Amino acid sequence: MEPKVSIKLPAKDAARVERFAEITGVNVFACYQCGNCSASCPATEFMDVPPHQVMRYLQLEMFDEIVKANTCWICAACITCTAKCPRGIDIAKAMEGLRQIFLEEQEFARYNIFDIKKKVLEKLPQIALVGNFRKNIL
Amino acid sequence: MEVSYYPGCTLKTNGKNFEVTTLKLLEKLDVDVKELEEWYCCGVTFSQSEENLIQKVAPIRTLVKAKEAGRKKLLVLCAMCYNTLKRAVKFIKDNPDKRDVIHDFMDRESTKYFGDEVEIIDLLSLLKLIGREKIREVVGDKRLNLKVAGYYGCMLLRPRDIAIDSETNPTLLEEMLENFGLSPVYFPFRVECCGSYQILNNSDFVRKQTRLIVSSAIENGADFIVTLCPLCFYNLDEVQKEIAEEDSAFKTIPVMYISQLLSIAAGISPEINDFNLHSIDPRPVLREKGLL
Ligand code: SF4
Ligand code: SF4
């Protein structure tokens, strides 16, 4: 008898794919997985899934995997990845698109101002506060 | 030369050394700087989402005010404000249909801003425009015995289409230090991200970056690090102090806004600075160098 191997492909997520394209216009299929984005990203070691792998998940439309990852929330929007991508892909913009999709879907606000310690607020520049709110609250 | 000036929120509070010293310096260089009578918080981070128009309203409102003020150039010192304003302008220039939506939304403004009326300019580009000759005239031939690591950070260099210089190998900051008789120190982490607003969510990330940037500047022989961004300033200065408190082997280096050192080089008294706004006090090094 012939051995049977079955591979279960994860569910594709057409609605989010469409939403992602609408918000960002990023062509994820241009990515050839060289890993330059992850190599240049200053935050990779704090991410459970590095940027190039997020790009791969986007190609495969595996949004569930991306939702589980902390990648787009660790991203500091520094645009280094975009500067380094040999395929001209705006990975930083893709991260922004993901943040927006997830905020729209679930939380709208991932951040609570009362979590910030009073002592920190004394010296912290306003741009840190406003910047952080802008990326974590819709 | 005359320019309008947009300070942004932080330069009126924690970042005021940046404002005070720049204004004095530009006065000495005969630039007529006039703060906009009305301006708004720019929103700090530019939304890269194509359809998030509401986050682009604030910068455009400010540009409307700048257009009404009548001057051709708008000086923006804070690197984050520069980035946000410059990208918002580019966005409405490239997307006329979205520009119309934004205009329709702004019902308090009678003026419309289309994208080309006012040029947003950062401090380094303005100094370049003023020219080396004028600067040398004010500074004279003297050189201060100061080795300065110019830290660019991200927001003046990325993305490419609003960058003030080469994204990966810029020289403008060093050129300006040189013009003012300071010795620039090239160090490998000068265009790396400091971790930005992630200081609020993931301070380990910022600590890692601060360590790398600071150590690299020290290893390359710098006396000071200079920056043009109040958030970089905080992450390099305050976070550096926190690291030093925990790790006695960690060497520190004072961080200053570039204008703080350039104004000293131009013969302006350091007394105009509020040194209490520094976590790593720059005064000992300034004294050691005979500048205070
Ligand atoms: S740098 Fe560009 S091409 Fe390379 S893995 Fe990242 S997104 Fe793909
Ligand atoms: S923009 Fe985000 S993903 Fe890209 S290099 Fe910076 S932190 Fe990493």
Side-chain angles (χ1 to χ4, degrees), chain A residues 36-38 40-44 47 50-51 71-72 74-82 90-93 95 99, chain B residues 48 154 158 193 197-198 205:
Chain A
N36 263 313
C37 47
S38 299
S40 63
C41 172
T44 308
M47 295 169 172
T71 313
C72 69
I74 298 285
C75 166
C78 74
I79 323 181
T80 309
C81 48
T82 304
D90 196 341
I91 303 115
K93 194 173 189 181
M95 294 295 161
R99 282 189 289 266
Chain B
Q48 305 184 83
C154 306
R158 294 186 285 271
C193 173
Y197 58 85
Q198 290 293 3
F205 169 24

Side-chain angles (χ1 to χ4, degrees), chain A residues 30-38 51-52 55 81 84-89 91:
Chain A
C31 168
Y32 56 17
Q33 287 292 295
C34 68
N36 263 313
C37 47
S38 299
H52 78 283
M55 294 306 289
C81 48
K84 293 285 163 67
C85 175
R87 301 285 291 144
I89 301 168
I91 303 115

Side-chain angles (χ1 to χ4, degrees), chain A residues 6-138:
Chain A
S6 68
I7 299 171
K8 192 168 171 283
L9 285 173
K12 299 215 169 186
D13 196 335
R16 278 161 163 172
V17 172
E18 199 179 310
R19 186 80 189 110
F20 178 82
E22 216 170 54
I23 300 174
T24 68
V26 168
N27 174 16
V28 295
F29 296 103
C31 168
Y32 56 17
Q33 287 292 295
C34 68
N36 263 313
C37 47
S38 299
S40 63
C41 172
T44 308
E45 67 182 82
F46 300 96
M47 295 169 172
D48 34 31
V49 174
H52 78 283
Q53 207 172 321
V54 168
M55 294 306 289
R56 186 70 182 134
Y57 281 143
L58 282 169
Q59 291 174 336
L60 297 170
E61 305 183 358
M62 288 164 69
F63 271 87
D64 283 342
E65 295 303 318
I66 306 174
V67 179
K68 276 188 257 161
N70 65 4
T71 313
C72 69
W73 306 113
I74 298 285
C75 166
C78 74
I79 323 181
T80 309
C81 48
T82 304
K84 293 285 163 67
C85 175
R87 301 285 291 144
I89 301 168
D90 196 341
I91 303 115
K93 194 173 189 181
M95 294 295 161
E96 183 93 329
L98 293 172
R99 282 189 289 266
Q100 183 164 335
I101 290 177
F102 300 148
L103 285 172
E104 279 170 5
E105 277 179 12
Q106 353 172 337
E107 300 172 271
F108 286 96
R110 293 183 81 250
Y111 207 79
N112 185 349
I113 188 163
F114 297 108
D115 292 343
I116 308 170
K117 294 194 193 76
K118 202 156 170 257
K119 193 177 152 282
V120 172
L121 282 178
E122 277 164 24
K123 269 204 165 171
L124 194 78
Q126 292 97 313
I127 48 176
L129 274 180
V130 181
N132 191 52
F133 291 156
R134 282 251 147 141
K135 296 295 182 194
N136 288 285
I137 298 173
L138 199 66

Side-chain angles (χ1 to χ4, degrees), chain B residues 32-65:
Chain B
D32 174 7
V33 181
K34 190 158 185 281
E35 182 176 325
L36 294 177
E37 273 164 30
E38 207 176 319
W39 52 264
Y40 314 93
C41 168
C42 66
V44 182
T45 49
F46 177 77
S47 171
Q48 305 184 83
S49 154
E50 298 281 336
E51 60 169 43
N52 195 335
L53 298 186
I54 194 71
Q55 291 199 7
K56 285 150 189 122
V57 171
I60 300 306
R61 280 217 151 107
T62 289
L63 264 300
V64 165
K65 295 295 166 199

